């Protein structure tokens, strides 16, 4: 799974032509992954979030993952790659990796075991 991190305030402040270039890069990578059969799925995530922690049986709900965080988990892609190195290669090409971060994390499945 490729976890996409970015800063919505920075994206909002970008010039329209810069945003268009970023989305064009995303579209090109998505087309390539679709054609190669590596794209399993993915979604953008809303900025609204709640963190739930239960301590001694009492739930505490706060807005967002961390109030002080500038970067947010913005979305994810699930890809089916031959190995983690290929997933890292894809993540390194994603525009958000150049500005913020991409996290590559294998999905645990019964047939793949705890770690890949």
């Amino acid at each position: 799974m490729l976890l996409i991190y970015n800063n919505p305030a920075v994206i909002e402040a970008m010039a329209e032509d810069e945003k268009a270039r970023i989305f064009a890069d995303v579209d090109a990578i998505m087309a390539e992954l679709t054609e190669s059969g590596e794209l399993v799925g993915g979604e953008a995530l809303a900025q609204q979030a709640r963190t739930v922690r239960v301590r001694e049986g009492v739930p505490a709900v706060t807005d967002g993952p961390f109030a002080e965080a500038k970067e947010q988990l913005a979305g994810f892609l699930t890809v089916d790659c031959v190995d983690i190195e290929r997933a890292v290669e894809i993540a390194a090409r994603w525009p958000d990796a150049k500005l913020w971060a991409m996290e590559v994390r294998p999905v645990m499945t019964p047939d793949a075991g705890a770690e890949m």
Side-chain angles (χ1 to χ4, degrees):
M1 179 163 292
L2 309 180
L3 304 173
I4 305 163
Y5 292 88
N6 65 34
N7 184 326
V10 172
I11 293 172
E12 187 67 31
M14 284 181 180
E16 289 303 315
D17 62 325
E18 188 175 4
K19 283 189 227 181
R21 277 193 304 276
I22 288 172
F23 291 122
D25 288 346
V26 168
D27 289 344
I29 296 168
M30 293 292 283
E32 174 189 316
L33 296 175
T34 299
E35 185 175 321
S36 71
E38 292 172 299
L39 181 65
V40 174
E43 296 292 336
L45 300 174
Q47 291 180 27
Q48 303 149 315
R50 304 288 185 275
T51 297
V52 179
R53 292 179 177 86
V54 178
R55 301 296 183 265
E56 298 179 16
V58 178
V61 181
T62 56
D63 288 342
F66 304 102
E68 68 275 6
K70 300 285 189 266
E71 293 181 5
Q72 298 180 11
L73 178 59
F76 66 91
L77 290 174
T78 304
V79 292
D80 185 7
C81 301
V82 296
D83 55 30
I84 197 166
E85 286 76 21
R86 173 62 180 146
V88 168
E89 177 186 317
I90 295 165
R93 293 179 48 216
W94 203 262
D96 297 81
K98 296 174 181 81
L99 299 169
W100 299 285
M102 294 285 289
E103 182 178 342
V104 177
R105 189 177 292 207
V107 175
M108 293 174 40
T109 60
D111 57 316
E115 294 293 327
M116 294 178 69

